[in-house]
Amino acid sequence: FRVVCCVFSLALTMIVICLEGCHGSGKTELCKQFEEAGFPTLDEAFIDVPSYDFHPQSLTMEFAWVANWFQRLIRLRQAVETDGGHTIYVADRSPFSAVCYAKDGGMLLEPLIYAQVKELAKHGIHVFNVYIKVDRSLLWRRISDRLERFPKRKEYNEDKREHMENILSFYEARKWDFVIDNNENTLQELMRNLISLLSD
């Protein structure tokens, strides 16, 4: 892992590896695995966006989340320049999640996000999006098991199979920087597979 970090650090100013995929695909657990391996991570709540009286998946709140996400990366890059901070981060989700999960008008955000990612690269912040793919039947079992532990997630329609299918349609219709399968692999194997892809 140190070799990978050194190669990236020498070649680029700052790398952000975003783990993307449907709810229940294993993003958060994989993010924790990276953290245990020594990589600094950015979870879904790494930015603080007041909720006000808007639904968290309203277009307004998703836009606010996206804006704060990019602002946070800019601040992290400044820390790299001034204090020699970390140069590689692993993030639980990317701004493209806002496109997918916004209740209405999420597609309006997509061209803006692409433009901002491109602009960040010109300033030494390189964002790579990794789609974590899981077979449909297995994914639904994982989602159902998690709902038993966290029934509050029904507020986000996670108890509906149709919702899962819609989310999968979104992810499978787009071209991601990298795609990895999370069906039967252990978290350690999944992390090694991803690092191998990034190193090629």
Side-chain angles (χ1 to χ4, degrees):
F1 299 146
R2 289 177 187 164
V3 173
V4 174
C5 290
C6 289
V7 171
F8 281 153
S9 298
L10 289 172
L12 302 167
T13 302
M14 180 173 158
I15 294 270
V16 183
I17 303 167
C18 301
L19 305 180
E20 270 294 357
C22 184
H23 48 283
S25 60
K27 299 179 299 297
T28 301
E29 292 305 314
L30 181 56
C31 207
K32 291 178 181 177
Q33 187 67 37
F34 272 102
E35 188 172 29
E36 291 176 5
F39 290 87
T41 58
L42 311 173
D43 62 25
E44 290 185 75
F46 87 100
I47 50 175
D48 184 21
V49 179
S51 60
Y52 304 109
D53 59 347
F54 289 81
H55 189 281
Q57 291 179 329
S58 66
L59 179 61
T60 299
M61 295 312 301
E62 292 287 10
F63 176 80
W65 187 87
V66 168
N68 279 275
W69 194 91
F70 281 110
Q71 185 179 55
R72 178 62 169 156
L73 292 195
I74 293 170
R75 289 175 178 170
L76 288 172
R77 181 183 180 278
Q78 289 176 334
V80 170
E81 290 183 339
T82 58
D83 304 323
H86 295 288
T87 56
I88 303 178
Y89 291 85
V90 179
D92 188 343
R93 293 198 177 279
S94 77
F96 290 105
S97 289
V99 179
C100 180
Y101 286 95
K103 284 182 170 293
D104 295 294
M107 296 301 176
L108 297 171
L109 300 173
E110 192 164 17
L112 178 63
I113 293 170
Y114 275 117
Q116 288 177 302
V117 169
K118 187 175 181 180
E119 187 173 60
L120 285 181
K122 294 178 181 178
H123 293 272
I125 304 173
H126 298 263
V127 178
F128 294 98
N129 293 291
V130 181
Y131 173 38
I132 301 177
K133 189 174 183 178
V134 182
D135 289 341
R136 278 173 158 76
S137 58
L138 176 59
L139 178 61
W140 181 243
R141 289 200 301 273
R142 290 177 179 175
I143 291 172
S144 299
D145 290 342
R146 187 169 70 171
L147 280 171
E148 292 183 3
R149 302 192 305 272
F150 306 104
K152 188 176 176 62
R153 299 190 72 93
K154 292 180 180 180
E155 296 178 6
Y156 301 101
N157 295 318
E158 292 188 12
D159 58 326
K160 297 179 175 61
R161 176 73 182 251
E162 181 182 6
H163 178 62
M164 182 198 81
E165 295 291 345
N166 290 337
I167 299 300
L168 287 175
S169 295
F170 170 87
Y171 282 108
E172 293 175 0
R174 282 156 179 77
K175 184 177 181 180
W176 304 95
D177 296 309
F178 301 98
V179 178
I180 56 174
D181 292 325
N182 184 20
N183 292 315
E184 303 301 332
N185 291 331
T186 65
L187 289 172
Q188 291 85 354
E189 290 171 336
L190 199 61
M191 182 176 65
R192 285 197 295 269
N193 290 344
L194 178 52
I195 289 175
S196 177
L197 283 173
L198 292 167
S199 301
D200 289 341

